Amino acid sequence: GENVEQHPSTLSVQEGDSAVIKCTYSDSASNYFPWYKQELGKRPQLIIDIRSNVGEKKDQRIAVTLNKTAKHFSLHITETQPEDSAVYFCAATSSGTYKYIFGTGTRLKVLA
Amino acid sequence: EAQVTQNPRYLITVTGKKLTVTCSQNMNHEYMSWYRQDPGLGLRQIYYSMNVEVTDKGDVPEGYKVSRKEKRNFPLILESPSPNQTSLYFCASSQGGMNTEAFFGQGTRLTVV
């Protein structure tokens, strides 16, 4: 079945450094790739998304890149701050299966 | 205020006692779904609904039931809960199908003893 692999599972960076989280999907019909941030004890919330007809999207310190040929997409956070510490989930959806599949999450720690 | 509301937030129950977790959204969204979140496993989709009276299985449907009689409500039913269903559950809704942002409820922490 369809799945989304996410790496790394944990990531520690120094404040001000960049963080990169990578995801690989299996369903070639996937066409929507959102990223969610979940702070401790809170619900997941969308931080950025990208569609299959776009290769890159940026929103201030956050960017997402998509490589459809290789079926992987990545989240890039620059100039990290302590408030970026959270669990980040990637996801992929498919118009073929109507499923919304999440990766297993990355716990990001930004060290002050 | 646009929101997805789940109830209850916390629930401790005993094995075999039927329970229902309610989910309601006020955004007129068509697509709704249920997820369970377990350490190391991320968010796994249990069931989803594309519209009223249209539901389908996600990746981990065993032991769960859902119904979608009204657009705003999507309850999750555990007919005979077991300890392996102890988890954090989230309901979510999306406008215009699943290829858009999912708005999550506050979560329901369920413990089955």
Side-chain angles (χ1 to χ4, degrees):
Chain A
E2 308 87 354
N3 77 304
V4 175
E5 293 187 3
Q6 182 172 348
H7 299 282
S9 57
T10 60
L11 179 60
S12 294
V13 299
Q14 288 293 135
E15 182 178 358
D17 287 351
S18 296
V20 180
I21 303 170
K22 299 181 179 181
C23 288
T24 304
Y25 59 97
S26 61
D27 185 359
S28 56
S30 294
N31 49 19
Y32 177 63
F33 307 92
W35 285 89
Y36 291 83
K37 176 183 181 182
Q38 186 180 28
E39 296 177 347
L40 190 62
K42 301 285 183 64
R43 72 192 81 187
Q45 291 189 293
L46 182 79
I47 54 171
I48 196 167
D49 56 12
I50 192 167
R51 298 188 184 277
S52 57
N53 58 348
V54 176
E56 183 173 359
K57 185 177 179 180
K58 190 173 182 180
D59 182 3
Q60 299 183 336
R61 296 186 297 109
I62 294 173
V64 56
T65 58
L66 171 65
N67 182 328
K68 282 207 71 179
T69 303
K71 291 194 280 188
H72 66 70
F73 56 113
S74 301
L75 177 71
H76 304 254
I77 306 175
T78 59
E79 301 172 18
T80 53
Q81 301 166 3
E83 51 265 38
D84 293 328
S85 296
V87 177
Y88 292 81
F89 291 98
C90 63
T93 70
S94 170
S95 297
T97 63
Y98 301 101
K99 290 184 177 179
Y100 208 113
I101 301 180
F102 285 82
T104 49
T106 296
R107 183 173 298 280
L108 174 64
K109 297 180 184 177
V110 179
L111 308 171
Chain B
E1 181 189 353
Q3 57 186 2
V4 179
T5 303
Q6 290 177 232
N7 280 297
R9 293 289 310 278
Y10 302 91
L11 179 59
I12 301 174
T13 190
V14 296
T15 299
K17 185 177 182 182
K18 180 179 179 179
L19 66 92
T20 299
V21 184
T22 64
C23 175
S24 181
Q25 51 94 3
N26 62 1
M27 296 171 280
N28 201 36
H29 286 174
E30 294 177 350
Y31 189 87
M32 297 185 73
S33 53
W34 276 101
Y35 301 88
R36 59 178 292 173
Q37 183 175 12
D38 302 289
L41 297 177
L43 291 153
R44 293 181 292 167
Q45 194 172 41
I46 302 170
Y47 268 95
Y48 61 93
S49 170
M50 291 167 283
N51 215 323
V52 176
E53 302 290 3
V54 182
T55 63
D56 207 347
K57 298 176 181 178
D59 289 328
V60 288
E62 294 78 20
Y64 305 94
K65 284 177 56 178
V66 293
S67 68
R68 187 92 181 272
K69 294 184 169 55
E70 306 165 281
K71 198 171 187 179
R72 63 184 293 126
N73 296 324
F74 190 44
L76 180 69
I77 303 158
L78 284 72
E79 294 270 3
S80 183
S82 62
N84 65 11
Q85 292 179 298
T86 292
S87 187
L88 177 60
Y89 291 86
F90 285 101
C91 176
S93 72
S94 307
Q95 172 64 29
M98 71 291 170
N99 289 327
T100 54
E101 176 181 1
F103 291 86
F104 285 83
Q106 322 95 300
T108 296
R109 186 164 292 282
L110 172 65
T111 302
V112 183
V113 298

